[in-house]
Amino acid sequence: MMDKPKKNTGYTLSRQWHDFAFEHQGKVRPSHAALYFWLIELNNRLGWVETFGVPTDYSMAAIGVSNYRTYKKAFDDLVNWGFVKVIEKSKNQFTTNVIALNNAYVKNTNADGTALVKNTKAIPEQLPKQVHSTAHINKQGNNKTKKPINLMSEVFTSDYEPINAYDSIAFKFWKQIYDNFIAKDIKPTSLQRSKIKEWTREVRLMIEKDGRTEDEINELIDFLAKDSFWANNIKSTSKLREKFEDLLSRARTINHTSQQMCFAFKESEQNYELSINDI
């Protein structure tokens, strides 16, 4: 089925899927199409990266499938048919399957055209009659082209709206640093050039490749909001990933020490109250 590599776009992947569906009628189910087009959408949201993670629960919810066996059957079929390539299988509950979207080619490249002609000639009575409308369909033109928002190639702004879990974490960290700059009356020039795609990619790698959890990453972000020394040295998700172990150890040591001091203070208060009562 595979012929030659081709650059991924939403159109080419969609076209090749329907070519395959027409060529293999009776083999393709709605669950296959739903999952495949969700994978295309997910890859698009991540900026058309070469490989990306596919969280099972998240994907099942996205395509409206509650039965894991149905989801797994659809996923395995897409792999066997050559539309999906598994790069790395999930190792534990904190990691996901890492995949790549292949460009699939069916043997009959005119499958879609021939199938459509065949089907429409067979049941002409089911075709809707053409309706002529007197309504004018030309809308008033707008010379200004609206710029699409939330593109992964764009940079963060203070009013950015995250579109997935990865860039939600990335934006939370960026906004925290940005607000800190503003509070200190420092011009956030470098932060204004921070690319969403780059910051989000580091978060994805922390979770999918390094095995970090969202809770751990958020724990460090909250720690950096309180620690001025590390906050001045960690100003990007790439640096956060690089210093992750040191930061996590430092954060938990400080937290443990604080808990011990709090316990000791409460214990001394109780002892003082007991000594007062004895007088």
Side-chain angles (χ1 to χ4, degrees), residues 11-27:
Y11 173 77
T12 56
L13 293 174
S14 173
R15 177 64 182 267
Q16 289 158 182
W17 170 258
H18 289 102
D19 285 347
F20 179 84
F22 277 117
E23 184 74 9
H24 301 83
Q25 295 184 45
K27 188 175 183 179

Side-chain angles (χ1 to χ4, degrees), residues 9 27 64 68 76 100 112 128 141 146 168 176 186 188 209-210:
T9 68
K27 188 175 183 179
Y68 173 72
D76 290 343
D112 58 337
K146 292 184 179 180
S168 179
Q176 179 173 293
I186 301 174
K209 186 175 182 179
D210 303 341

Side-chain angles (χ1 to χ4, degrees), residues 192-214:
Q192 291 171 339
R193 295 194 295 266
S194 300
K195 291 185 178 181
I196 301 170
K197 180 178 179 180
E198 295 176 358
W199 280 58
T200 298
R201 181 180 63 241
E202 295 299 324
V203 174
R204 179 176 63 84
L205 290 174
M206 275 189 270
I207 294 174
E208 297 179 359
K209 186 175 182 179
D210 303 341
R212 313 299 185 187
T213 66
E214 290 186 27

Side-chain angles (χ1 to χ4, degrees), residues 55-171:
T56 300
D57 292 343
Y58 191 60
S59 297
M60 288 176 62
I63 67 174
V65 171
S66 58
N67 189 305
Y68 173 72
R69 286 183 295 180
T70 301
Y71 170 84
K72 188 176 186 302
K73 176 65 166 57
F75 183 87
D76 290 343
D77 284 343
L78 292 178
V79 174
N80 293 332
W81 294 341
F83 287 95
V84 173
K85 181 180 180 181
V86 177
I87 306 300
E88 183 179 346
K89 288 189 176 181
S90 175
K91 297 178 180 179
N92 54 52
Q93 61 180 325
F94 301 116
T95 61
T96 62
N97 286 315
V98 179
I99 69 165
L101 291 181
N102 290 330
N103 282 280
Y105 293 81
V106 294
K107 293 180 180 179
N108 181 6
T109 56
N110 293 321
D112 58 337
T114 55
L116 281 174
V117 172
K118 177 181 177 181
N119 290 337
T120 54
K121 286 183 177 180
I123 46 174
E125 66 277 5
Q126 294 184 13
L127 296 178
K129 295 182 178 180
Q130 185 176 3
V131 178
H132 296 279
S133 173
T134 57
H136 199 284
I137 64 173
N138 292 328
K139 296 182 180 180
Q140 184 176 0
N142 187 349
N143 294 329
K144 294 183 179 180
T145 303
K146 292 184 179 180
K147 187 178 181 181
I149 60 173
N150 287 344
L151 294 180
M152 297 304 291
S153 60
E154 291 186 351
V155 296
F156 281 120
T157 59
S158 57
D159 59 348
Y160 173 73
E161 295 182 3
I163 57 176
N164 59 53
Y166 298 132
D167 68 329
S168 179
I169 294 174
F171 176 63

